[in-house]
Amino acid sequence: MEFYQELENILEASTPEEKISRFYDFYELYKKDLLKTNNTTRPKEFKNPSYATFCTIVSPRDVPKRTNLTTKEGQINLLHAIAHIEYTAIDLALDICYRFRNMPKEFYDDWLEVAEDEIRHFKMIDELLVQIGGKYGSIPVHNSIFEASQRTAHSLLDRLAVVPRYLEANGLDATPQILKKLKTLPKNSILDNIKSVLEVILEEEVDHVKKGDRWFEFTCKQKTLSKDVYIKIINQYYPQGFAKLKTLNEQARLQAGFTKEELNQINMFKEKRV
């Protein structure tokens, strides 16, 4: 089995079951150093995300809202949205290994470990979704995260800035707000289970962002750039991105490698929000 070809096969798997099964087989061989590596091949440009075969893709504004979490419909919408994020995150972790080559082995160790975490997160959420009568793929989803991976396919520096240090870091801000809302609702077993799973995901996502920070700094040093370039990169891709942030989870971001100076800069953009 060849490392990059099998990653391509996993990325293109048309069902969650196939993707997860192939990944586990691949990962066992990887950890035993039993995979061949051919660095002469070129990574493929994926025109569609792997979930396009079983999900209806719509504009972000057309994705069903999860406003009333005391209802079954609201809970299914919430779980489906999180399942979609986690499933997309599996592909992001695999794609960074597939697309960016000739990196230190530790780079691939880190991102395959992230992929394994994201699979576990997806499975936990999917199990809850099935318990209350939902199914991943039954609700329309948006393509925004996949589009971010396409736009940064040319640059490892940009990919690391945009995906772990922006999109995933934003998740560190958003998840506590969901947990806060859940804690105000009447207790029931489903909501308690959702809270427990989200707490696990939040804790482990800090490490994912930290891995992104580590390799962002590594890549900056390779290019003799300062980490300050992060703000410039994000403003290029998301001109109003920082201004739209409602709350910063500063403690989690600091644990994940952000500096106080970066947080001060982000807060300045927030304060300029009209």
Side-chain angles (χ1 to χ4, degrees), residues 150-166:
Q150 287 183 305
R151 293 171 67 199
T152 57
H154 65 287
S155 166
L156 177 58
L157 185 70
D158 289 9
R159 171 68 63 88
L160 291 164
V162 166
V163 175
R165 291 195 97 239
Y166 180 70

Side-chain angles (χ1 to χ4, degrees), residues 9-201:
N9 294 338
I10 298 167
L11 281 160
E12 293 190 310
S14 59
T15 66
E17 294 78 14
E18 181 191 357
K19 186 183 297 290
I20 291 168
S21 176
R22 292 194 77 137
F23 173 79
Y24 284 147
D25 291 344
F26 162 87
Y27 197 36
E28 280 303 308
L29 294 175
Y30 175 82
K31 288 185 289 186
K32 294 174 182 176
D33 198 24
L34 295 176
L35 294 172
K36 299 175 183 178
T37 303
N38 180 1
N39 278 309
T40 64
T41 61
R42 294 179 62 83
K44 185 175 181 178
E45 292 184 17
F46 301 111
K47 294 183 179 179
N48 297 299
S50 61
Y51 53 80
T53 59
F54 58 88
C55 285
T56 300
I57 299 169
V58 298
S59 164
R61 71 175 74 90
D62 295 326
V63 174
K65 302 294 185 289
R66 60 261 190 185
T67 49
N68 189 351
L69 297 182
T70 61
T71 67
K72 181 178 176 180
E73 181 184 11
Q75 292 163 10
I76 287 176
N77 287 346
L78 172 65
L79 287 171
H80 195 280
I82 299 170
H84 182 58
I85 291 170
E86 298 302 327
Y87 194 77
T88 306
I90 297 168
D91 280 351
L92 288 173
L94 297 174
D95 187 77
I96 201 170
C97 294
Y98 170 73
R99 193 156 306 283
F100 301 104
R101 306 187 176 187
N102 299 306
M103 293 291 288
K105 183 178 181 298
E106 291 78 10
F107 177 86
Y108 303 103
D109 291 347
D110 275 354
W111 294 111
L112 292 176
E113 184 177 295
V114 169
E116 184 183 38
D117 286 348
E118 303 294 12
I119 286 173
R120 183 163 39 81
H121 296 171
F122 171 78
K123 289 171 70 176
M124 289 190 293
I125 293 294
D126 189 54
E127 184 178 328
L128 290 179
L129 188 58
V130 170
Q131 281 180 16
I132 60 173
K135 176 179 172 59
Y136 180 49
S138 63
I139 295 173
V141 299
H142 65 77
N143 227 5
S144 301
I145 301 175
F146 173 72
E147 288 173 351
S149 71
Q150 287 183 305
R151 293 171 67 199
T152 57
H154 65 287
S155 166
L156 177 58
L157 185 70
D158 289 9
R159 171 68 63 88
L160 291 164
V162 166
V163 175
R165 291 195 97 239
Y166 180 70
L167 296 176
E168 288 197 75
N170 289 353
L172 301 181
D173 305 328
T175 303
Q177 300 308 306
I178 299 172
L179 286 167
K180 186 177 178 180
K181 184 173 183 178
L182 288 170
K183 288 173 184 177
T184 67
L185 301 177
K187 283 186 172 290
N188 69 52
S189 58
I190 288 297
L191 293 178
D192 288 344
N193 288 337
I194 294 173
K195 284 188 287 185
S196 297
V197 170
L198 286 180
E199 286 167 352
V200 171
I201 291 174

